[in-house]
Amino acid sequence: MTRNRTIPHLSQHEKDYVRDLLVHEDEAILAFNKPSGLPSQVRGNRARNLDHLLWTFAKSNGKRPRLVHRLDVGTSGIILAGRTHPDAASLSKSLEHRKARKVYWAIIAGHLPNRRSGAFNDPIARIDEAGRSRIVAGRPDGKRALTRWTIPSRLGDVALIELRPETGRMHQLRVHLAHHGCPILGDTLYNGAPASRLCLHAASIELTHPRHDAQITLRAPLPKVFCDIAGHHGLDCSVFEPPGSG
């Protein structure tokens, strides 16, 4: 982080908006519940994005928190920033070396797995066809990808699913589910059934705190619209909440 950087102007509305997204704040970490539709970052800051809004928390010398990972624009949920460069580096290292445990929740539809739990281990590759790049699963030349899953609730061909990725390939969860015939609702890129948003939510991250070397779990509550979509299909989002979590 560069010293004495000029702090861009943010309106009071923008500052209040990003502060309302905070779900955890301490001496090293800022954790946000990113809404669906808000980009994590945008090149050149040509549109509102979470990274630019972090200037709200900048110090007078221009040092500011730093995002340590991203979520797809349609995905909601937990996203972290480190307050200082060492904090961000420590958090990034945990994520890059797969020492952090992530949990996602989604609504899927289609040919559901017969079992209640299992794992997808189809390799994932990026391929170019007719000048366009796309991501696919199941190719032998792809990179290793592992997603563990549990289905706590289903009704007909629609279900709530908990996803625990053990690798970090681009669009891994979305591609794995689409490959197995049950894409996420609202996923227009991977042929998901229509919905008002991508029904994928980053529910929690467990990792080592960069300052005091203890495990910490950071959670993001489900948005109301996600639960409304689930309810429309006869599913109850409370199955995702363990007893006593409220």
Side-chain angles (χ1 to χ4, degrees):
M1 284 175 254
T2 306
R3 293 181 180 273
N4 301 319
R5 292 183 64 184
T6 301
I7 299 175
H9 172 75
L10 293 175
S11 69
Q12 191 60 46
H13 174 76
E14 290 174 311
K15 292 178 180 179
D16 292 342
Y17 172 78
V18 71
R19 287 190 178 108
D20 284 343
L21 301 181
L22 270 173
V23 291
H24 174 86
E25 181 179 10
D26 63 30
E27 73 277 16
I29 301 172
L30 295 171
F32 302 88
N33 188 356
K34 186 189 83 68
S36 177
L38 176 68
S40 300
Q41 292 176 315
V42 174
R43 185 175 297 177
N45 290 318
R46 293 186 296 270
R48 183 168 70 169
N49 63 90
L50 181 58
D51 185 53
H52 186 66
L53 292 172
L54 291 182
W55 282 108
T56 298
F57 308 94
K59 296 181 178 180
S60 58
N61 62 1
K63 290 187 177 182
R64 65 171 195 135
R66 180 177 179 180
L67 283 181
V68 297
H69 62 122
R70 291 179 290 179
L71 294 175
D72 293 340
V73 63
T75 304
S76 58
I78 198 77
I79 185 167
L80 308 182
R83 280 197 182 275
T84 68
H85 189 279
D87 293 330
S90 176
L91 292 167
S92 294
K93 185 176 180 180
S94 291
L95 292 164
E96 289 169 7
H97 290 81
R98 313 309 300 170
K99 294 180 180 179
R101 296 185 180 91
K102 297 181 181 180
V103 175
Y104 291 77
W105 296 333
I107 308 172
I108 59 175
H111 300 290
L112 303 179
N114 293 324
R115 294 173 293 161
R116 186 179 185 275
S117 62
F120 301 138
N121 60 3
D122 317 277
I124 289 177
R126 183 192 292 272
I127 62 174
D128 293 315
E129 292 180 344
R132 298 183 64 181
S133 178
R134 64 190 183 97
I135 300 170
V136 298
R139 290 175 59 99
D141 59 342
K143 294 182 179 179
R144 176 180 176 270
L146 177 61
T147 303
R148 301 193 184 279
W149 55 266
T150 301
I151 296 178
S153 178
R154 67 175 78 203
L155 185 63
D157 63 352
V158 184
L160 295 170
I161 189 168
E162 180 176 284
L163 302 156
R164 299 176 301 282
E166 295 195 6
T167 52
R169 306 303 173 200
M170 185 175 181
H171 291 182
Q172 176 175 317
L173 306 180
R174 299 164 65 181
V175 172
H176 267 166
L177 288 163
H179 180 69
H180 286 271
C182 49
I184 299 170
L185 264 64
D187 194 343
T188 57
L189 188 59
Y190 296 104
N191 299 313
S196 60
R197 57 155 289 178
L198 175 66
C199 294
L200 179 62
H201 180 75
S204 66
I205 296 178
E206 180 185 355
L207 42 61
T208 302
H209 193 280
R211 298 282 185 96
H212 48 68
D213 201 32
Q215 289 296 106
I216 181 172
T217 301
L218 303 168
R219 298 182 174 89
L222 272 170
K224 181 178 182 299
V225 65
F226 185 107
C227 294
D228 288 345
I229 294 170
H232 175 75
H233 291 279
L235 301 168
D236 183 1
C237 284
S238 66
V239 297
F240 284 138
E241 301 292 350
S245 64

